[in-house]
Amino acid sequence: MSQILAPSNLNRAFKQVVRNGGSGGVDKMKCGALLPYLLEHKDELVESLLTGKYNPDPVRRVEIPKDKGKKRHLGIPTVVDRLVQQAIAQVLSPIHERELSAGSFGFRPKRSAHGALLQVCRHVKDGYRYAVGIDLARFFDTVNHSKLLEILLRTVKDGPVISLIHKYLTSGVMIGNQPFGRRKPARITNGTRITSTVAG
């Protein structure tokens, strides 16, 4: 937890959240309001994270259009939760990045669909005739939280960090003004920073 809450890591997380921008979560706070909020509440935020008393807010669910008239659910965390998630991701992503396959391109830093296509082209030049693309449909709706945390525990030996990630996984969803899944096992909502960190 000390690495996550290090001032340099939190400052980097703050800059990334502001750079990313985006809509407000359930509290409607915009990214521009994060600095004034932190100037007033940073110490209590850090203290609540250190003592395990921090409770993430549910994500605000929106639907965005997909191909063929389908819609995709997207979870929008509060700006403060994005800051905390980004701080966690900056510490944990490099640890888990080393364990992932070189052929994996989804939700990874400095990787993209374009990079995957270039890799396929290299394989074709090497004489391979088949390429297999795998997309785990509805992965975030069905992932087993217990198994996910068990896997994280293999490399993350910090109980408070695991507890915080568990709180994010079970923080729930707000659809309109209706809460769903608050403080009990719920879906991981695609679109939050924590999803790419823990599911990567």
Side-chain angles (χ1 to χ4, degrees):
M1 186 65 83
S2 60
Q3 290 179 334
I4 290 168
L5 298 178
S8 60
N9 190 53
L10 288 175
N11 286 337
R12 229 173 87 223
F14 168 80
K15 289 176 183 174
Q16 187 63 48
V17 167
V18 171
R19 188 170 31 253
N20 288 348
S23 300
V26 295
D27 64 356
K28 306 281 193 272
M29 182 192 292
K30 304 274 189 215
C31 289
L34 184 56
L35 180 59
Y37 174 86
L38 291 173
L39 290 172
E40 188 174 336
H41 300 285
K42 179 189 71 112
D43 292 339
E44 68 185 75
L45 173 63
V46 169
E47 181 66 20
S48 70
L49 288 161
L50 281 171
T51 60
K53 294 180 180 172
Y54 183 78
N55 287 310
D57 285 310
V59 296
R60 180 171 65 90
R61 178 172 287 167
V62 296
E63 291 182 338
I64 58 173
K66 284 179 68 174
D67 293 339
K68 300 177 185 171
K70 293 184 179 182
K71 297 198 182 253
R72 182 179 126 203
H73 293 148
L74 187 66
I76 302 175
T78 64
V79 177
V80 173
D81 282 334
R82 276 186 248 169
L83 171 75
V84 176
Q85 289 180 15
Q86 182 65 36
I88 294 168
Q90 289 170 178
V91 173
L92 297 188
S93 289
I95 294 167
H96 293 103
E97 185 66 23
R98 295 185 295 254
E99 298 175 7
L100 299 175
S101 164
S104 172
F105 287 83
F107 295 102
R108 295 184 62 192
K110 299 179 182 167
R111 290 182 173 247
S112 65
H114 182 73
L117 287 173
L118 290 173
Q119 180 80 0
V120 168
C121 289
R122 284 192 290 272
H123 288 319
V124 168
K125 284 181 184 175
D126 290 342
Y128 290 93
R129 297 178 53 197
Y130 301 98
V132 178
I134 298 175
D135 183 11
L136 300 176
R138 311 215 36 101
F139 171 79
F140 294 111
D141 290 343
T142 59
V143 67
N144 181 313
H145 294 172
S146 298
K147 190 67 172 169
L148 189 60
L149 291 171
E150 178 187 317
I151 291 167
L152 274 176
L153 275 166
R154 294 177 193 163
T155 53
V156 179
K157 303 297 184 192
D158 190 328
V161 172
I162 295 295
S163 176
L164 180 59
I165 290 171
H166 182 259
K167 286 179 180 182
Y168 274 111
L169 294 175
T170 59
S171 64
V173 175
M174 290 287 284
I175 302 174
N177 291 326
Q178 296 294 324
F180 290 90
R182 183 93 171 132
R183 304 284 170 249
K184 58 184 178 188
R187 296 174 176 161
I188 300 176
T189 304
N190 194 19
T192 61
R193 185 65 179 105
I194 206 75
T195 58
S196 59
T197 302
V198 299

